[in-house]
Amino acid sequence: MALKKNFFSKIKKPFIIGEIASAHLGDTKNLLYLSNKLKQTNSNALKFQIFKTENFVSKYNSYFKILKKIEINFKNWEYIFNKTKKLKINKICEIFEYESLVFAHKSDFSDCFKVSVSNLYEEEIIEYINKYKLSLIINISGADIQELKKIINKIKYKDICLMLGYQNFPTKIKDIELNKIVCLKKNFPKVCVGYADHIDATTNFFAQAIPLMALSMGADVIEKHINIDRSKKKNDYYSSLNPDEFKIFVSNLKKAYLALGNEKFIVSKAEKKYLNFAKKYLVAKKNLKKGHFIKNDDVNFKRINKLGVDEGQFKSLIKPKLNKNISQDNVIQINDIIK
């Protein structure tokens, strides 16, 4: 299988995933439409959910019929893979049971796989992941730090992204708990940390601001749902953005990420230029003649919008003497002084 190795160590931040989930309504045309739209948004990856309903949900579960209705069979998935393989965007398959993991992996389509933390209690899934050294996104919802440590220890090839965020149709702001990102970064410094946003998409400010906050707190990856038309209130519309909104979302996140700058305290060229503009330098308080010994009451310090002699430099000079006439309020440069 031609999977990318060290997938998460090579990603460029912020890495934005477009989650199609069940917005396709079981229709391959809808799925292909959304895949192409995601490519146009400049997001970094698209994500499909692949499952056989009867393999992971009881027929007595109230969601069984809903999931079965939107389930896409493996033959149609092969068709979708062939149609979307040439799209220049990373591909991620989220799986919910062993058979779909094997199918998705053998299809040689996905760059990495997403699994729920609950799947990683299943030995055959863990064994398969370890055998083929799969890059993983792990939905950590419901797991505490000690559980996560045990699960990660089971995984031999640690190219992992721990994904915070669960869907609650939609998730309430008070339940998001972004501070967990800081805790995850502290406890798992060698893996990526992501945030999957499921806030009400109609709250325009928060739908943009919460993912931005996640980035500022250290998230490397952001996942967001997309649908065809949220106003129709079809499957998975609660936290989903329309394609035009998603494009703006991606653009805003990538521009805003630049504001974070370097993790080390490095003074940028722009800051140095600003300081030069804002700093005060030596100017003549009155007309001064060549040969004059400059005293404190002869000068002021003002902004001159270029480099000059600052107060510290001036005080270090011993009997500074002018080698040219300087008129009032004109700058006195160091080469105007005989030291």
Side-chain angles (χ1 to χ4, degrees), residues 99-335:
E99 189 176 355
S100 292
L101 172 61
V102 175
F103 162 74
H105 178 235
K106 287 185 175 180
S107 297
D108 195 22
F109 172 79
S110 187
D111 297 301
C112 81
F113 297 86
K114 184 176 181 181
V115 294
S116 168
V117 76
S118 62
N119 293 129
L120 299 180
Y121 291 102
E122 299 175 36
E123 288 303 320
E124 61 180 355
I125 288 180
I126 285 286
E127 286 173 8
Y128 194 91
I129 286 167
N130 284 338
K131 180 178 179 180
Y132 292 101
K133 299 180 179 179
L134 303 184
S135 298
L136 286 182
I137 297 172
I138 303 174
N139 177 356
I140 67 166
S141 297
D144 61 28
I145 293 295
Q146 293 309 312
E147 280 183 284
L148 289 175
K149 285 180 178 179
K150 288 178 184 177
I151 286 166
I152 289 174
N153 283 338
K154 291 181 182 180
I155 300 168
K156 293 177 182 177
Y157 181 62
K158 291 181 170 48
D159 189 35
I160 295 170
C161 176
L162 298 177
M163 187 71 80
L164 178 71
Y166 69 98
Q167 187 159 3
N168 203 15
F169 308 105
T171 304
K172 294 177 182 177
I173 291 175
K174 68 181 180 65
D175 293 331
I176 293 172
E177 298 189 74
L178 290 180
N179 279 325
K180 287 182 178 178
I181 293 171
V182 178
C183 187
L184 289 168
K185 299 288 278 191
K186 181 180 178 180
N187 281 277
F188 307 101
K190 294 183 180 180
V191 304
C192 272
V193 172
Y195 168 65
D197 186 65
H198 299 104
I199 196 169
D200 184 349
T202 62
T203 58
N204 294 331
F205 174 77
F206 290 110
Q208 301 271 339
I210 299 295
L212 284 174
M213 290 171 65
L215 286 178
S216 70
M217 298 180 80
D220 308 296
V221 179
I222 299 293
E223 181 181 298
K224 187 77 173 173
H225 285 240
I226 188 171
N227 72 165
I228 295 172
D229 185 352
R230 186 175 62 253
S231 67
K232 292 183 178 179
K233 297 187 177 182
K234 298 291 185 180
N235 289 55
D236 201 39
Y237 77 90
Y238 304 92
S239 58
S240 296
L241 299 177
N242 295 338
D244 58 335
E245 296 172 325
F246 203 96
K247 188 171 185 177
I248 294 168
F249 171 79
V250 172
S251 177
N252 286 346
L253 248 62
K254 292 194 173 186
K255 287 179 182 176
Y257 185 78
L258 298 174
L260 295 179
N262 201 300
E263 291 181 2
K264 295 180 180 179
F265 197 94
I266 298 172
V267 181
S268 68
K269 290 181 180 179
E271 287 178 296
K272 289 177 180 177
K273 185 176 180 180
Y274 170 78
L275 182 61
N276 291 340
F277 169 79
K279 198 172 179 181
K280 296 177 181 178
Y281 296 106
L282 190 68
V283 299
K285 195 173 185 179
K286 53 191 175 183
N287 293 334
L288 300 174
K289 293 185 177 181
K290 180 179 178 180
H292 179 76
F293 286 95
I294 309 170
K295 299 181 288 296
N296 288 337
D297 59 0
D298 292 328
V299 295
N300 278 327
F301 291 89
K302 297 183 179 182
R303 290 185 177 185
I304 61 173
N305 200 21
K306 58 182 178 181
L307 289 173
V309 178
D310 63 31
E311 191 168 356
Q313 285 177 292
F314 176 67
K315 286 182 177 179
S316 69
L317 299 175
I318 300 171
K319 292 186 177 182
K321 181 180 179 181
L322 286 174
N323 62 19
K324 61 185 285 189
N325 294 333
I326 303 290
S327 57
Q328 183 185 4
D329 219 34
N330 269 8
V331 62
I332 304 172
Q333 294 286 11
I334 197 69
N335 56 6

Side-chain angles (χ1 to χ4, degrees), residues 41-55:
T41 66
N42 200 31
S43 54
N44 302 99
L46 61 83
K47 183 161 78 68
F48 298 144
Q49 290 184 347
I50 301 173
F51 56 85
K52 277 194 170 182
T53 310
E54 60 270 19
N55 285 356

Side-chain angles (χ1 to χ4, degrees), residues 30-45:
N30 288 341
L31 207 154
L32 292 173
Y33 172 82
L34 285 169
S35 298
N36 283 287
K37 283 294 182 182
L38 266 174
K39 174 64 182 73
Q40 295 168 21
T41 66
N42 200 31
S43 54
N44 302 99

